[in-house]
Amino acid sequence: MIGQSGIAIRNIKRADSSSVAQLARYGVATVHEAMGRVGLLATYLRPVYPGAKACGTAVTIFAHPGDNWMLHVAAELLQPGDMAVLGVSSSNEDGMFGDLLATSFHSRGAVGLVIDAGCRDTADLRQMGFPVWSKAISAKGTVKATVGSVNTPIICAGALVHPGDVVLADDDGVVVVPKAHASDVAQAAARREAKEALTRERLAAGELGVDIYGMRDTLAKAGLSYFADEAAFEQELRKKQGART
Amino acid sequence: MIGQSGIAIRNIKRADSSSVAQLARYGVATVHEAMGRVGLLATYLRPVYPGAKACGTAVTIFAHPGDNWMLHVAAELLQPGDMAVLGVSSSNEDGMFGDLLATSFHSRGAVGLVIDAGCRDTADLRQMGFPVWSKAISAKGTVKATVGSVNTPIICAGALVHPGDVVLADDDGVVVVPKAHASDVAQAAARREAKEALTRERLAAGELGVDIYGMRDTLAKAGLSYFADEAAFEQELRKKQGART
Amino acid sequence: MIGQSGIAIRNIKRADSSSVAQLARYGVATVHEAMGRVGLLATYLRPVYPGAKACGTAVTIFAHPGDNWMLHVAAELLQPGDMAVLGVSSSNEDGMFGDLLATSFHSRGAVGLVIDAGCRDTADLRQMGFPVWSKAISAKGTVKATVGSVNTPIICAGALVHPGDVVLADDDGVVVVPKAHASDVAQAAARREAKEALTRERLAAGELGVDIYGMRDTLAKAGLSYFADEAAFEQELRKKQGART
Amino acid sequence: MIGQSGIAIRNIKRADSSSVAQLARYGVATVHEAMGRVGLLATYLRPVYPGAKACGTAVTIFAHPGDNWMLHVAAELLQPGDMAVLGVSSSNEDGMFGDLLATSFHSRGAVGLVIDAGCRDTADLRQMGFPVWSKAISAKGTVKATVGSVNTPIICAGALVHPGDVVLADDDGVVVVPKAHASDVAQAAARREAKEALTRERLAAGELGVDIYGMRDTLAKAGLSYFADEAAFEQELRKKQGART
Amino acid sequence: MIGQSGIAIRNIKRADSSSVAQLARYGVATVHEAMGRVGLLATYLRPVYPGAKACGTAVTIFAHPGDNWMLHVAAELLQPGDMAVLGVSSSNEDGMFGDLLATSFHSRGAVGLVIDAGCRDTADLRQMGFPVWSKAISAKGTVKATVGSVNTPIICAGALVHPGDVVLADDDGVVVVPKAHASDVAQAAARREAKEALTRERLAAGELGVDIYGMRDTLAKAGLSYFADEAAFEQELRKKQGART
Amino acid sequence: MIGQSGIAIRNIKRADSSSVAQLARYGVATVHEAMGRVGLLATYLRPVYPGAKACGTAVTIFAHPGDNWMLHVAAELLQPGDMAVLGVSSSNEDGMFGDLLATSFHSRGAVGLVIDAGCRDTADLRQMGFPVWSKAISAKGTVKATVGSVNTPIICAGALVHPGDVVLADDDGVVVVPKAHASDVAQAAARREAKEALTRERLAAGELGVDIYGMRDTLAKAGLSYFADEAAFEQELRKKQGART
């Protein structure tokens, strides 16, 4: 069951590294669209410094409020290219992660952390270049008293994350790509990016989206009426009201 | 009625450009004070990158949750110097606006966007220098299914905005100046700025606000008592308690 | 009683300056840990610009919603090295503090402000280098109509602050150190910092926290089990379920 | 300008009493739909006791945070059948209204209060049967120091309310009907109610909405596919993936 | 993938009815504990009237913000004893469900609704006795424009819910029991309830939890010290400080 | 220091019982006013059932997030007439208190609980008549792993509470009266209640607050102007604008 404590899985199946590399080229918004508009984590997760970007395979952590013990357990199970992702048994904003754990994660080759709780030592993290997406910045220290799990499926910020899934994060937020779909999504993202490049050029040249996307008819069918100005609109309104009485 | 859907007004009366230019010189706090402490939008609207500043005439957009169709309609009605302002029919934080629409708005001459919803592609917006004030940063994609309106009066973040009003935004937030008052407010802002410059000098030189503003008497009348130290205060307290018994 | 209005205490006992100087060397997280994980103000207090850091002796201010009168009273009572700390009689986010008051506070030698309300003119504050930690950024102007107090004990963002206590603030938040403990806490912070430096080196070299801190036994006793992979875990699970039936 | 202070208008044009009486028969949801899905105040306004319902003509009040002076001014301007509606210059939850003011409002013939701030003495209000919709329940006392306005247009909980508009409130929230539209909206509500009664009967008899409203075709066009069971869906999925490769 | 749109599964495997009947006897807190403290939905889901209680098999609904179309689709797929559970593609509080849909769901034999969005006509729901747990009470009407899914796995209020799982809700909140575990959890709940009955009797008779649960030793080991009174504590404190210097 | 863990004080000095009995006669709003508008706990504390009221002497509890161990310790130290009050080391909404602890507290003679965290088994609490004011209703179970303190000063919901202080709670919220002031505040509350009774009669008879409190002059001095109607106001406005030009 999701949220079971006491389990640490040593070896997990990770998304293939070429898909991860491909996905790392795109932004979170593009990948989310390429998946069919799914996979986003809640918007309250924010990078602890601007310009942060990371893409890696998820090592999942399940922790209890005010307790960061499992982050130490996770350190051992991290491999180069991994992204640690922490979900909680109940809402918590304590500073579970700081510069010491970041030093450890970094030395293990991890590329970042997504944490549905708080983070501290943010000035150090910025300096180290170890990116973290967190729910809060909080200096609050935590205990090491109750075990959770590592590498079991978790809910993090409202999204389901399995160990080995691809997790991509940037200034816009965080998206998870199930490992089975990583290759498909990477290709769809590439197609979308190519198409958007063309659209961007046309828009930059002054063409309108309503023309490029052919929206004029559907807008009219959906009930949009254009009026030359406010006076014209009010005249129309009076006409309708007259007709009604 | 505020919040009516299905209307797009092509031509609106805009605040005169010289007032807009004057207002653009001041900060949001100054203009808000110059208006008599009114006109602010809710503080949850934040610039998507620090240092953003913009001032323009409002092209208003009314949209539904999770639907950014009207932003495309608005693009056509934007003129150089306009500031797009989007209100919603109910609370929503989805990423209605991103780099493609920004490219379009920018090519139309718009100076920025104030959106009571989410924004994405924030790294691109920063790079383009297209400033956005939003309720949230969210990569969540939106549909184009339900029409709203463009250039009708809207409520945006708790403030009433008419098409053509002046909208000024900076690091401190967003303020709207009704177009009929734009000239008066610009002059009042200039007077305030001049007066504050003098006060700033005196404060920098070590003079106290309580003296500059002549507050000592009113403070005393309003009931403020000074004590040399905590002991003096406690002595006074005991005296009063003694008198009461 | 906490929250009494109408009192301004001119002279307060401040924490000794050498302890303040020592504490200023450490981060908020370190000092909070050194105190035994206490003393933090609520995490909704954020610096108005990144990289802000300040440490000083508290001049406390008690104010009412939408009223910044007491900040002017406080200006006179500030001494070089002081940190102004403002608590409110009820929740408020108005922009009580801006560039004029900052000019005044700065000229009095104050090192910063912690305010359980809003702040404005944030671009100016950044430029002046006068750091503020606030609950909100808001251009909303305030009145000067109701007196509060200066230099009485206050609750600020959920923490009790006495005049003269040490207040340390950085990117991670704000911590208060009671003046009687300032020296002890400074020493404990130094010890902690020294110890963490060694741990950091070992972690950077690839050693694991579970080994450095000797957690393997306690983790096992607390119920953590390792499995080679998901298949191994599921096999164990079936075994247990079999045993139960 | 919205939010101007210092004005009290004695006589206002109120919506006609027969429209008010008609609107009072319907629920907030029905009237909101009858207006074309507009007019709702923010959902954070909640009745201070369950089962509260009121409908009256708005006497509008503009107040400042922590200051309930204008409620006393409004008492004099209330007429039988009026609903007091209070907006604020900035967010505030203090207990501006309690049993004394309720006694006064009640004796003036007011039918209720909608307040974008806090309310207290809620047990007394329930006993008196004087309904209040508020943002918060708070015992926090307020001052009488700064004037606002009475009977000027206000923004209350994100909606524009003019003096004399019809305000209807029940367990579902609060809706405002502009006085010029009161009669039209009342008729539309009556039509909607009649139509819904028929639909309700059919639904109660087991008919399906998808049939009553004829949704099956539009659902299919919009992309909904039915599958007998999960296995059928997965078979289809594999077929599509096969086709793609 | 979780969150895929356009799918309606007609037939689902439901938890066995005897387990559902057993689980319906217990409270949400008991079942959550019996599962090993997992399975809760976020606490922002509240019953729309006090005393509501329901237990049924989940028919899952995935919907988009401001769009209640899928609730109509779900009506057809509901069977007696089902509990409808709705998750959203992004945060929304609109009134997606009201008395008409409740009439329909009720006539289909559904026992309740859990909705990660808003609900309206709450007075009618209370009168009908159709219980709903929602994120908000909102009269805001919704469109029927974009398809979601019915009977696919969803995330609702931070929990993963599969079609056919048992969903139990009462005044304390909502818990989901995966259908494969329904029988085990029902038995564990029965055991827990029996055990708690005995403990309750002993506590009612004045015995202490610290004795019943044998906590005195573990408390001491965890560092708790008892002092006769404050003076005794301060004496001890001084002793320690003396020892340190 | 506030927030120190590991301390349990057996015997505390309680406010005198006659003051507690007197204070119990008044509402929270009255006592808060009688103290000079201080002493309230944050408004997010709400009774778990309507109509709850309690007044007792504080037994204070300091607990950590997700850990209710100290509530068991507190049970032993409760005496008849006590009100348990729990503060936390960091924000938490877990269900720390339920029917078993309530049974224990009730058998010890406690009159209620104020908890800056979550509460569960609320239906049972209502039935038992054991009132609780909490931050949240949550079925989330907690651990017993980390010690806090009992009968040390705490911050609860933003207010400082000492062991033995009087805590009064009703539908309007929670107020704390320092034990040294209990008698004075009780008398002030009695005077206030008497005075309000007279005012209530006059208001009920139709007299106006602006007359009873003699506000007409101060309103005028503070800048309030009355206008016969909107037309009169606009005429005045034009006159002023004319004068300015």
Side-chain angles (χ1 to χ4, degrees):
Chain A
M1 280 187 283
I2 297 257
Q4 202 174 340
S5 290
I7 302 158
I9 308 280
R10 290 192 182 277
N11 301 296
I12 57 170
K13 195 181 167 314
R14 288 168 169 84
D16 66 291
S17 57
S18 73
S19 296
V20 179
Q22 269 183 283
L23 286 165
R25 282 183 217 139
Y26 308 111
V28 166
T30 298
V31 169
H32 156 70
E33 291 281 352
M35 286 175 79
R37 286 192 195 138
V38 305
L40 290 180
L41 279 67
T43 58
Y44 61 69
L45 291 182
R46 299 294 306 142
V48 300
Y49 53 85
K53 182 159 188 191
C55 184
T57 40
V59 161
T60 58
I61 306 166
F62 178 68
H64 298 287
D67 194 311
N68 78 341
W69 214 2
M70 285 304 109
L71 282 156
H72 290 275
V73 173
E76 187 177 18
L77 307 184
L78 286 168
Q79 293 186 2
D82 280 344
M83 180 90 134
V85 184
L86 183 146
V88 283
S89 66
S90 80
S91 183
N92 184 250
E93 301 200 346
D94 293 347
M96 292 191 183
F97 187 87
D99 81 311
L100 287 183
L101 274 165
T103 302
S104 178
F105 278 32
H106 191 254
S107 84
R108 305 291 300 174
V111 297
L113 167 71
V114 173
I115 181 166
D116 197 358
C119 177
R120 60 185 187 175
D121 301 329
T122 50
D124 297 318
L125 297 177
R126 187 198 296 246
Q127 214 174 339
M128 292 174 58
F130 189 85
V132 174
W133 287 257
S134 72
K135 188 180 185 182
I137 291 171
S138 166
K140 183 70 183 65
T142 49
V143 298
K144 288 155 194 39
T146 309
V147 297
S149 291
V150 176
N151 280 334
T152 61
I154 59 168
I155 304 278
C156 178
L160 180 64
V161 183
H162 284 88
D165 285 349
V166 186
V167 173
L168 172 70
D170 63 17
D171 278 333
D172 283 354
V174 186
V175 68
V176 55
V177 183
K179 55 181 168 269
H181 299 273
S183 169
D184 280 5
V185 172
Q187 287 168 48
R191 283 192 301 272
R192 187 177 169 87
E193 193 89 335
K195 195 175 146 196
E196 284 198 347
L198 295 176
T199 309
R200 195 176 294 108
E201 265 182 49
R202 293 175 66 182
L203 290 168
E207 265 191 276
L208 290 166
V210 287
D211 294 320
I212 296 175
Y213 303 117
M215 291 170 171
R216 295 197 187 273
D217 277 7
T218 44
L219 281 165
K221 274 180 204 155
L224 186 71
S225 305
Y226 284 85
F227 300 90
D229 52 25
E230 212 191 318
F233 168 63
E234 279 173 7
Q235 197 180 353
E236 177 74 15
L237 205 66
R238 277 191 302 274
K239 214 184 292 178
K240 272 193 202 161
Q241 287 170 334
R244 224 187 304 164
T245 39
Chain B
M1 279 187 285
I2 297 260
Q4 202 174 341
S5 290
I7 303 158
I9 308 280
R10 289 192 183 278
N11 301 295
I12 57 171
K13 195 178 166 316
R14 286 168 170 85
D16 66 292
S17 56
S18 73
S19 296
V20 178
Q22 269 182 283
L23 286 164
R25 281 182 219 142
Y26 308 111
V28 165
T30 298
V31 169
H32 157 68
E33 290 282 352
M35 286 174 80
R37 288 196 193 136
V38 306
L40 290 180
L41 279 66
T43 58
Y44 61 70
L45 291 181
R46 298 296 306 143
V48 300
Y49 54 85
K53 181 159 188 192
C55 184
T57 40
V59 160
T60 59
I61 307 166
F62 179 68
H64 298 286
D67 194 311
N68 77 343
W69 214 2
M70 285 304 108
L71 281 156
H72 290 277
V73 173
E76 187 176 18
L77 307 184
L78 285 168
Q79 293 186 3
D82 280 345
M83 180 89 134
V85 185
L86 183 146
V88 283
S89 65
S90 79
S91 182
N92 184 251
E93 300 200 346
D94 294 348
M96 293 192 182
F97 187 87
D99 80 312
L100 287 183
L101 274 165
T103 302
S104 178
F105 278 32
H106 190 255
S107 85
R108 305 292 300 173
V111 298
L113 167 72
V114 173
I115 181 167
D116 198 357
C119 177
R120 59 186 187 174
D121 300 331
T122 49
D124 298 317
L125 297 177
R126 185 198 296 247
Q127 214 176 339
M128 291 175 58
F130 189 85
V132 175
W133 287 258
S134 72
K135 189 181 184 181
I137 291 171
S138 166
K140 183 70 181 65
T142 49
V143 299
K144 289 155 193 40
T146 309
V147 297
S149 289
V150 176
N151 279 333
T152 59
I154 58 167
I155 304 279
C156 177
L160 180 65
V161 184
H162 284 88
D165 285 350
V166 186
V167 173
L168 171 71
D170 63 17
D171 278 332
D172 283 353
V174 185
V175 67
V176 55
V177 184
K179 55 180 169 268
H181 299 273
S183 169
D184 280 5
V185 171
Q187 287 168 46
R191 283 192 300 271
R192 188 179 170 85
E193 193 89 334
K195 195 175 148 197
E196 285 198 347
L198 295 175
T199 309
R200 195 175 294 109
E201 263 180 52
R202 294 174 66 180
L203 291 167
E207 265 190 274
L208 290 165
V210 287
D211 294 320
I212 295 176
Y213 304 117
M215 291 169 171
R216 293 196 188 273
D217 276 6
T218 44
L219 281 165
K221 274 180 205 155
L224 186 70
S225 305
Y226 284 85
F227 300 90
D229 51 25
E230 213 191 317
F233 168 63
E234 279 172 8
Q235 197 179 354
E236 176 76 15
L237 206 64
R238 277 193 301 273
K239 213 183 292 177
K240 272 193 203 162
Q241 287 170 336
R244 224 185 306 162
T245 40
Chain C
M1 278 187 283
I2 297 259
Q4 201 175 341
S5 291
I7 303 159
I9 308 280
R10 289 192 183 277
N11 300 296
I12 57 171
K13 195 179 167 314
R14 287 168 169 85
D16 66 291
S17 56
S18 73
S19 296
V20 179
Q22 268 182 283
L23 286 164
R25 282 182 218 139
Y26 308 111
V28 166
T30 298
V31 169
H32 156 69
E33 291 281 352
M35 286 174 80
R37 286 194 195 137
V38 305
L40 290 180
L41 280 66
T43 58
Y44 61 68
L45 291 182
R46 298 296 305 144
V48 301
Y49 53 85
K53 180 157 188 192
C55 184
T57 40
V59 161
T60 58
I61 307 166
F62 178 68
H64 298 287
D67 194 310
N68 77 342
W69 214 2
M70 285 305 108
L71 282 156
H72 290 276
V73 173
E76 187 176 18
L77 307 184
L78 286 168
Q79 294 185 3
D82 280 345
M83 180 90 136
V85 184
L86 183 145
V88 283
S89 65
S90 80
S91 181
N92 183 251
E93 301 200 347
D94 294 347
M96 292 191 184
F97 187 87
D99 80 312
L100 287 183
L101 274 165
T103 302
S104 178
F105 278 31
H106 190 254
S107 85
R108 305 291 300 173
V111 298
L113 167 72
V114 173
I115 180 167
D116 197 357
C119 178
R120 59 185 187 175
D121 301 330
T122 50
D124 297 318
L125 297 177
R126 185 199 297 247
Q127 214 175 338
M128 293 173 58
F130 189 86
V132 175
W133 286 258
S134 71
K135 188 180 185 182
I137 291 172
S138 166
K140 182 70 181 64
T142 49
V143 298
K144 287 155 195 40
T146 309
V147 297
S149 290
V150 176
N151 279 334
T152 59
I154 58 167
I155 304 279
C156 178
L160 180 63
V161 183
H162 284 87
D165 284 350
V166 187
V167 174
L168 171 71
D170 63 16
D171 278 333
D172 283 353
V174 186
V175 69
V176 55
V177 183
K179 56 181 167 269
H181 299 274
S183 169
D184 280 5
V185 171
Q187 287 168 46
R191 283 192 300 272
R192 188 178 170 86
E193 194 90 333
K195 194 175 148 196
E196 284 198 346
L198 295 176
T199 309
R200 195 175 293 109
E201 264 180 52
R202 295 174 66 182
L203 291 167
E207 264 190 276
L208 290 164
V210 286
D211 295 320
I212 295 175
Y213 304 116
M215 291 169 171
R216 294 198 188 271
D217 276 6
T218 45
L219 281 165
K221 274 181 204 154
L224 185 70
S225 306
Y226 284 85
F227 300 89
D229 51 26
E230 211 190 319
F233 168 63
E234 279 172 7
Q235 197 179 352
E236 176 75 15
L237 204 66
R238 277 191 301 274
K239 214 183 293 177
K240 272 192 204 162
Q241 287 170 335
R244 222 186 305 162
T245 39
Chain D
M1 278 187 283
I2 297 258
Q4 202 175 341
S5 290
I7 303 159
I9 308 280
R10 289 192 183 279
N11 302 295
I12 57 171
K13 196 179 167 315
R14 287 168 169 83
D16 66 292
S17 57
S18 74
S19 296
V20 178
Q22 269 182 282
L23 286 165
R25 283 183 218 140
Y26 308 111
V28 165
T30 299
V31 168
H32 157 68
E33 291 281 352
M35 285 174 80
R37 286 193 196 139
V38 305
L40 289 180
L41 280 66
T43 58
Y44 61 69
L45 291 182
R46 297 296 305 143
V48 299
Y49 54 85
K53 182 159 188 192
C55 184
T57 39
V59 161
T60 58
I61 306 165
F62 178 69
H64 298 286
D67 194 310
N68 77 343
W69 214 2
M70 286 303 108
L71 281 156
H72 290 276
V73 173
E76 187 176 18
L77 307 184
L78 285 168
Q79 293 186 4
D82 280 345
M83 181 89 134
V85 184
L86 183 146
V88 282
S89 66
S90 80
S91 183
N92 184 251
E93 302 200 346
D94 293 347
M96 292 192 184
F97 187 87
D99 81 313
L100 287 182
L101 274 165
T103 302
S104 178
F105 278 31
H106 190 254
S107 85
R108 306 291 301 173
V111 299
L113 167 72
V114 173
I115 181 168
D116 196 357
C119 177
R120 58 187 189 173
D121 300 329
T122 50
D124 298 316
L125 297 177
R126 186 199 297 246
Q127 213 174 340
M128 293 173 58
F130 189 85
V132 175
W133 287 257
S134 72
K135 188 180 185 182
I137 291 172
S138 166
K140 183 70 183 61
T142 49
V143 298
K144 289 155 194 40
T146 309
V147 297
S149 291
V150 177
N151 280 333
T152 59
I154 58 168
I155 304 279
C156 179
L160 179 64
V161 183
H162 283 88
D165 285 349
V166 187
V167 173
L168 172 70
D170 64 16
D171 277 334
D172 283 353
V174 186
V175 68
V176 55
V177 183
K179 55 181 169 269
H181 299 273
S183 169
D184 279 6
V185 171
Q187 287 169 46
R191 283 192 302 271
R192 187 176 170 86
E193 193 89 334
K195 195 176 146 197
E196 284 199 346
L198 294 176
T199 310
R200 194 176 293 109
E201 265 181 50
R202 294 174 67 181
L203 291 167
E207 264 189 277
L208 290 165
V210 286
D211 294 321
I212 296 175
Y213 304 116
M215 290 169 172
R216 293 196 189 274
D217 277 7
T218 43
L219 281 165
K221 273 180 206 155
L224 186 70
S225 305
Y226 285 84
F227 300 89
D229 52 25
E230 212 191 317
F233 168 63
E234 278 173 6
Q235 198 179 352
E236 177 76 15
L237 205 64
R238 277 191 300 274
K239 213 183 293 177
K240 271 191 205 164
Q241 288 170 333
R244 223 186 306 162
T245 39
Chain E
M1 279 187 282
I2 297 257
Q4 201 174 343
S5 290
I7 303 158
I9 308 281
R10 290 193 183 277
N11 301 296
I12 58 171
K13 194 178 166 317
R14 286 168 169 83
D16 66 292
S17 56
S18 74
S19 296
V20 178
Q22 270 183 281
L23 286 165
R25 283 184 217 138
Y26 308 111
V28 165
T30 299
V31 169
H32 157 68
E33 291 280 353
M35 286 173 79
R37 288 195 193 137
V38 305
L40 290 180
L41 280 65
T43 57
Y44 61 70
L45 291 182
R46 297 297 305 143
V48 299
Y49 54 85
K53 180 157 189 194
C55 185
T57 39
V59 160
T60 57
I61 307 166
F62 178 68
H64 298 286
D67 193 310
N68 77 342
W69 213 2
M70 285 304 108
L71 281 156
H72 290 276
V73 173
E76 187 176 18
L77 307 184
L78 285 168
Q79 293 186 4
D82 280 345
M83 181 88 135
V85 184
L86 183 145
V88 283
S89 66
S90 79
S91 182
N92 185 251
E93 300 199 347
D94 294 348
M96 292 192 182
F97 187 87
D99 82 312
L100 287 183
L101 274 165
T103 302
S104 177
F105 277 31
H106 190 254
S107 85
R108 305 292 300 174
V111 298
L113 167 72
V114 173
I115 180 167
D116 197 358
C119 177
R120 60 187 188 174
D121 301 329
T122 50
D124 298 317
L125 297 178
R126 185 198 298 246
Q127 213 175 339
M128 292 174 59
F130 188 86
V132 175
W133 287 258
S134 71
K135 189 181 184 181
I137 291 173
S138 166
K140 184 68 183 64
T142 49
V143 299
K144 289 155 193 41
T146 309
V147 297
S149 290
V150 177
N151 280 333
T152 59
I154 59 168
I155 304 278
C156 178
L160 179 64
V161 184
H162 284 88
D165 284 349
V166 186
V167 174
L168 171 71
D170 62 17
D171 278 332
D172 282 354
V174 186
V175 67
V176 55
V177 183
K179 55 181 170 270
H181 299 273
S183 170
D184 279 5
V185 171
Q187 287 168 47
R191 282 192 301 271
R192 187 178 171 86
E193 194 88 334
K195 194 176 147 197
E196 284 198 347
L198 294 175
T199 309
R200 196 176 291 109
E201 264 180 52
R202 293 173 67 180
L203 291 167
E207 264 190 276
L208 290 165
V210 286
D211 295 320
I212 295 175
Y213 304 117
M215 291 168 171
R216 293 196 189 272
D217 277 5
T218 44
L219 281 165
K221 273 180 206 154
L224 185 70
S225 305
Y226 285 85
F227 300 88
D229 50 26
E230 212 191 318
F233 168 63
E234 280 173 5
Q235 198 180 353
E236 176 76 15
L237 205 64
R238 276 191 301 273
K239 214 183 294 176
K240 271 191 205 165
Q241 288 170 333
R244 224 185 305 161
T245 39
Chain F
M1 280 187 281
I2 297 258
Q4 201 174 342
S5 291
I7 303 158
I9 308 281
R10 290 193 183 277
N11 301 295
I12 57 171
K13 196 182 166 312
R14 287 169 170 84
D16 66 292
S17 56
S18 73
S19 296
V20 179
Q22 268 182 283
L23 286 164
R25 285 182 215 138
Y26 308 111
V28 166
T30 298
V31 169
H32 157 68
E33 290 281 353
M35 285 174 80
R37 286 193 196 138
V38 305
L40 290 179
L41 279 66
T43 57
Y44 61 70
L45 290 183
R46 297 295 306 143
V48 301
Y49 53 86
K53 182 159 187 192
C55 184
T57 39
V59 161
T60 58
I61 307 165
F62 178 68
H64 298 287
D67 194 311
N68 77 342
W69 214 2
M70 286 304 108
L71 282 156
H72 290 276
V73 173
E76 187 176 17
L77 307 183
L78 286 168
Q79 293 186 3
D82 280 345
M83 181 89 134
V85 184
L86 183 146
V88 284
S89 65
S90 79
S91 182
N92 184 250
E93 301 199 346
D94 293 348
M96 292 191 184
F97 187 86
D99 81 312
L100 287 182
L101 273 165
T103 302
S104 178
F105 278 32
H106 190 254
S107 86
R108 306 291 300 173
V111 299
L113 168 71
V114 173
I115 181 168
D116 196 357
C119 177
R120 60 187 188 173
D121 301 328
T122 51
D124 298 317
L125 297 178
R126 185 199 298 248
Q127 215 175 337
M128 292 173 59
F130 190 85
V132 175
W133 287 258
S134 72
K135 188 179 185 183
I137 291 172
S138 166
K140 183 68 182 65
T142 48
V143 298
K144 288 155 195 42
T146 309
V147 297
S149 290
V150 176
N151 280 333
T152 59
I154 58 167
I155 304 278
C156 178
L160 179 65
V161 184
H162 284 89
D165 285 349
V166 187
V167 173
L168 171 70
D170 63 16
D171 278 332
D172 283 354
V174 185
V175 69
V176 56
V177 184
K179 54 181 169 269
H181 299 274
S183 170
D184 280 4
V185 171
Q187 287 168 48
R191 284 192 301 270
R192 187 177 170 87
E193 194 89 334
K195 194 175 147 198
E196 284 199 347
L198 295 175
T199 310
R200 196 176 292 108
E201 265 181 52
R202 294 175 66 182
L203 291 168
E207 264 191 277
L208 289 165
V210 286
D211 295 320
I212 295 175
Y213 304 116
M215 290 169 173
R216 293 197 189 273
D217 277 7
T218 43
L219 281 165
K221 273 180 205 156
L224 186 70
S225 305
Y226 284 85
F227 300 89
D229 52 25
E230 212 191 318
F233 168 63
E234 279 174 5
Q235 198 179 351
E236 177 75 13
L237 204 64
R238 277 191 302 274
K239 213 183 294 178
K240 272 192 205 163
Q241 288 171 332
R244 223 186 305 162
T245 40

